[in-house]
Amino acid sequence: MTIPEENFIPYAKQWIDEDDIKEVEKVLRSDWITQGPAIDEFEKKVAEYCDAKYAVAVSSGTAALHIAYKVAGIGKGDEVITSPMTFAGTANAVVYCGGTPVFADIDPDTLNIDPKEIEKKITEKTKAIAIVDFAGTPCDIDAIKEIADKHNLIIIEDACHALGAEYKGKKVGKLSDMTVFSFHPAKVITTGEGGMILTDNKEFADKMKVLRHHGVVKNPEKGGWYYDIEELGYNFRITSFQCALGISQFKKLDKFIERRREIVEMYNKAFSDIDEIIIPTESDYAKSAWHIYPIQFKLGKLNRKEIFDKFHEQGIGVQLHYTPVHLFSFYKKEFGYKVGDYPMAEKYSERAITLPLFPKMTNKEVERVIKVTKDIIYDK
Ligand SMILES: *Cc1c(COP(=O)(O)O)cnc(C)c1O
């Protein structure tokens, strides 16, 4: 049986309405399609919501990580401890700065970096810890902060999954020295491409604003034409029309998360009694933004490729989040990582499949995913 294409359910999908389009159109008809007032407004809105002092919007989540590492002082020979269970961008951006990503294994229950493992990886070269709020569920930041303070390390929180999530009643965004969001279409809200860093540190924020625009530093006293490049920067600018989309999307953030939570509840209810499946959990201290819903199959007679293919044959666009970063060819070749280095992340990854989850999903679609999942398990 072939499934008609319009019935395909992807693992993630943006939700753009007419009002979003109108806001973008307004900017496109204005004089400022880039570097206009929409950028400041978007930054302000996100910072306020998260109770952070400063925000810097950039062209992608990866660009945000890159300049966050830069202002954290990451350079040649410096080590940044991070989770192997993340999108490669978290570690790639360390390498862009000349640093070395050192992974610390995950806690198999939370799927987030295990604080005990972080401590084992600290050396004289360690400068920062880059934690990742996997699936949208915040890390145990208090435990991690204790370690960071003891060793004088900066915490960069990759919260690309976790805009709108909470830790002990506080919004993700002011818990770490710097917090990074992505606005890729698969994420909780989108600007097409885009990213942002939140921080309470003015020096960091000012420096990141310079770095996102080639390193340009102006000095009107020397003339309107004058600028200097003191430190090499980048073109990581986001456009005004992207920020207009961001502002419009941002109004719907809470509604989007509420719908994500409803869908997660439907999945949890359907799967919690099934022995063959491990469902993702939300720690007591956390309220997840539920960017993704990764389940683990206790593999029996089926292997993961078979399961994956069966979903796709049924028009369900499941995904894998993620291949552990240390197992990518580049990381093996460049840093000598190998299979077996991070057993918890590897075991999880071998059994994981991300089911579709996005706010526009209908209950009918959720039910279809549940049915196909059960059919696969019970081999129907
Ligand atoms: C999406 C994502 C990124 C990168 O964001 P881009 O905007 O695609 O560059 C980084 N880290 C994590 C955990 C992500 O999910």
Side-chain angles (χ1 to χ4, degrees), residues 59-65 85-91 132-135 158-161 180-187 192-195 291 321-322:
S59 52
S60 73
T62 306
L65 286 162
M85 191 39 60
T86 182
F87 177 64
T90 321
V132 181
D133 300 326
F134 185 77
D158 180 341
C160 288
H161 295 186
V180 169
F181 297 121
S182 163
F183 307 117
H184 177 276
K187 306 293 159 70
E193 299 283 356
H291 162 56
H321 295 92
Y322 294 97

Side-chain angles (χ1 to χ4, degrees), residues 55 64 80 144 182-183 204 206 245 266 285 295 341:
V80 177
I144 293 164
S182 163
F183 307 117
F204 285 169
D206 289 346
L245 179 56
M266 287 176 75
Y285 53 73
I295 59 174
D341 284 348

Side-chain angles (χ1 to χ4, degrees), residues 192-209:
E193 299 283 356
M196 197 181 281
I197 311 103
L198 298 190
T199 183
D200 281 353
N201 183 320
K202 185 165 189 310
E203 200 181 312
F204 285 169
D206 289 346
K207 220 168 161 193
M208 287 190 285
K209 285 192 177 176

Side-chain angles (χ1 to χ4, degrees), residues 239-369:
T239 66
S240 295
F241 53 94
Q242 287 174 303
C243 288
L245 179 56
I247 293 163
S248 181
Q249 285 266 298
F250 189 67
K251 289 181 195 154
K252 306 167 193 180
L253 173 64
D254 288 339
K255 198 185 78 182
F256 284 170
I257 291 177
E258 208 176 294
R259 178 59 187 155
R260 285 178 176 276
R261 297 183 68 82
E262 272 172 24
I263 295 168
V264 166
E265 247 170 64
M266 287 176 75
Y267 280 151
N268 283 347
K269 211 168 135 198
F271 301 136
S272 54
D273 292 338
I274 298 180
D275 283 343
E276 288 83 351
I277 290 181
I278 302 169
I279 58 173
T281 55
E282 198 176 28
S283 312
D284 309 335
Y285 53 73
K287 184 177 170 197
S288 182
W290 287 118
H291 162 56
I292 49 172
Y293 189 83
I295 59 174
Q296 296 171 71
F297 281 85
K298 292 184 193 161
L299 297 172
K301 45 191 188 311
L302 285 174
N303 69 36
R304 214 255 314 273
K305 185 173 182 310
E306 282 170 337
I307 294 172
F308 195 93
D309 291 347
K310 280 188 176 205
F311 273 111
H312 278 258
E313 277 161 28
Q314 295 298 319
I316 313 286
V318 294
Q319 258 298 351
L320 168 63
H321 295 92
Y322 294 97
T323 297
V325 178
H326 69 283
L327 295 184
F328 286 124
S329 301
F330 171 78
Y331 283 88
K332 289 186 186 161
K333 202 171 60 202
E334 190 73 18
F335 301 106
Y337 289 115
K338 57 187 188 308
V339 174
D341 284 348
Y342 300 97
M344 292 305 165
E346 290 170 27
K347 185 179 176 196
Y348 160 78
S349 176
E350 276 161 19
R351 311 196 294 185
I353 271 180
T354 298
L355 297 183
L357 173 59
F358 49 92
K360 213 178 179 178
M361 236 180 138
T362 62
N363 283 359
K364 252 209 168 101
E365 287 174 319
V366 179
E367 279 153 19
R368 205 177 111 210
V369 173

